[in-house]
Amino acid sequence: MEYILFAIIAYLLGSIPSALVVGKLGYNIDIRQHGSGNLGATNTFRVLGMKAGIIVTLSDILKGTAATLLPLLADADVYRLIIGLFAVLGHTYPIFARFKGGKAVATSAGIILGINPLLFAIMIATFLITLYISKYVSLSSMITGIVTIIVSSLFKDIGLIIVTSILTIFVFYRHKANIKRIKDKTEPKITWM
């Protein structure tokens, strides 16, 4: 019963469409009608700028973190990484935004922050270094996922390895169109780094 309760809470947390909220409240813009139409941080950066992009990124990360910390605060006997997965499902298929959400990257990182802050720091460093070199947000996200699996194995935590693998596979799946655009050399590059 605890799993069901926290899974529902995590899904609802993940379903909060940060990009849509920031766009409508702060800019009177429905982000779904601009750029890629995606409800994620990358599209927010492109459409609304740096400030809005940072707010959405932090909000999406914290959704995952909150989902993993709530069971801890409630002293619930659940495996918190599994609960975190439901926040990612909520983020990508949000009930509050017609089940069309982001690409799972920031909320996945938030789960890791709530479980293993050191691994989270390594993820952020990997992402920023790869982004600086490649200028592709999508490629940086996918490479970060691969590095996260490798580093997870060093902690010798089977659950962590399994969940980071699931999240990475899901991130790759959500970036199918980006992979094709990278191959075709039509994927947009960032210009601010």
Side-chain angles (χ1 to χ4, degrees), residues 69-87:
L69 292 181
L70 281 176
L72 191 64
L73 295 174
D75 199 27
D77 187 22
V78 295
Y79 191 59
R80 294 186 297 126
L81 276 170
I82 291 176
I83 302 303
L85 290 176
F86 285 91

Side-chain angles (χ1 to χ4, degrees), residues 42-174:
T42 302
N43 195 39
T44 306
F45 272 105
R46 288 195 187 118
V47 175
L48 303 178
M50 184 75 72
K51 181 181 176 183
I54 290 171
I55 292 169
V56 169
T57 300
L58 292 176
S59 298
D60 288 347
I61 288 172
L62 290 175
K63 291 191 297 188
T65 306
T68 60
L69 292 181
L70 281 176
L72 191 64
L73 295 174
D75 199 27
D77 187 22
V78 295
Y79 191 59
R80 294 186 297 126
L81 276 170
I82 291 176
I83 302 303
L85 290 176
F86 285 91
V88 172
L89 281 177
H91 176 70
T92 50
Y93 306 108
I95 194 170
F96 304 129
R98 300 178 184 175
F99 302 100
K100 293 181 180 179
K103 293 190 175 176
V105 177
T107 306
S108 296
I111 294 171
I112 303 304
L113 175 59
I115 300 294
N116 190 321
L118 175 58
L119 180 56
F120 173 80
I122 293 168
M123 290 172 68
I124 295 299
T126 302
F127 178 82
L128 291 175
I129 291 167
T130 310
L131 185 62
Y132 179 77
I133 294 168
S134 73
K135 305 295 189 265
Y136 289 125
V137 174
S138 54
L139 180 63
S140 302
S141 300
M142 291 183 280
I143 289 174
T144 299
I146 293 169
V147 170
T148 302
I149 296 170
I150 294 168
V151 176
S152 293
S153 66
L154 301 178
F155 290 103
K156 298 180 180 177
D157 181 338
I158 297 299
L160 185 62
I161 295 167
I162 291 170
V163 170
T164 54
S165 298
I166 290 169
L167 290 171
T168 299
I169 291 167
F170 192 52
V171 165
F172 268 77
Y173 169 74
R174 294 288 291 171

